[in-house]
């Protein structure tokens, strides 16, 4: 299973809105970056990801699951853009701030630490484990 991180501005799409969608989930639409789109094209149903609030909050707040593989993005007629659907799995016991990630040497190579602008990014198994540890998540 591959792990991911999905970034969203709270004012655009928040963790609470994601949770409210329940098991049906929601399209991760509106992505207009080729690298992020290409990451979504490789995702499989069941892949897990972190949900990250960007802008002011700059924190990982929950875990999501891919519930539909890449398909045309319904927010555009441009066939170049695809997206996946995701659903909330659970909130983290405590948010993991971007600064916590930057301060932890085990996360020095994490994409989030080195490319804070990429909206959909891979997370290694080790990074996943460290972030869960920082969040106090035993699961």
């Amino acid at each position: 299973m591959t792990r991911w991180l999905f970034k969203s501005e709270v004012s655009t799409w928040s963790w609470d809105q994601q949770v409210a969608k329940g098991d049906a989930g929601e399209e991760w639409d509106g992505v207009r970056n080729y690298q992020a789109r290409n990451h979504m094209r490789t995702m499989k149903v069941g892949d897990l990801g972190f949900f990250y609030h960007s802008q002011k909050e700059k924190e990982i707040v929950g875990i999501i699951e891919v519930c539909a593989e890449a398909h045309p993005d319904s927010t555009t007629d441009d066939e170049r853009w695809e997206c996946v659907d995701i659903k909330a799995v659970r909130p983290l016991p405590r948010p993991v701030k971007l600064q916590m990630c930057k301060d932890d040497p085990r996360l020095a190579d994490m994409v989030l630490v080195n490319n804070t602008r990429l909206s959909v990014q891979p997370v290694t198994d080790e990074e996943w484990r460290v972030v869960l540890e920082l969040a106090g998540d035993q699961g």
Side-chain angles (χ1 to χ4, degrees):
M1 175 185 334
T2 308
R3 315 248 190 218
W4 306 97
L5 184 139
F6 292 77
K7 294 174 64 177
S8 181
E9 297 174 23
V10 174
S11 61
T12 302
W13 188 254
S14 71
W15 172 251
D16 290 340
Q17 288 172 295
Q18 187 65 55
V19 169
K21 287 296 183 173
D23 284 341
E26 180 72 5
E27 277 190 346
W28 198 255
D29 58 27
V31 173
R32 299 297 181 263
N33 173 285
Y34 288 107
Q35 189 176 11
R37 181 214 53 200
N38 291 345
H39 287 316
M40 288 192 287
R41 284 180 170 176
T42 69
M43 293 178 185
K44 302 293 180 204
V45 169
D47 282 358
L48 296 177
F50 289 128
F51 192 101
Y52 179 86
H53 281 159
S54 60
Q55 297 298 319
K56 291 189 328 189
E57 293 79 4
K58 297 181 182 173
E59 61 188 8
I60 301 169
V61 296
I63 296 174
I64 59 84
E65 180 180 337
V66 175
C67 58
E69 293 179 12
H71 56 83
D73 183 329
S74 68
T75 64
T76 182
D77 292 329
D78 188 334
E79 61 190 34
R80 292 177 296 171
W81 302 113
E82 298 176 33
C83 63
V84 296
D85 294 4
I86 63 170
K87 64 180 181 178
V89 174
R90 68 179 184 274
L92 293 177
R94 64 179 169 261
V96 176
K97 297 276 188 187
L98 174 60
Q99 192 60 52
M100 293 168 67
C101 295
K102 288 181 174 184
D103 290 345
D104 194 311
R106 299 172 295 175
L107 298 176
D109 295 328
M110 188 175 188
V111 176
L112 179 65
V113 169
N114 296 293
N115 184 355
T116 57
R117 295 190 53 89
L118 186 61
S119 63
V120 178
Q121 51 191 252
V123 175
T124 68
D125 290 341
E126 176 63 11
E127 292 162 350
W128 185 266
R129 188 190 62 71
V130 171
V131 170
L132 291 180
E133 177 186 311
L134 293 172
D137 190 300
Q138 305 302 313

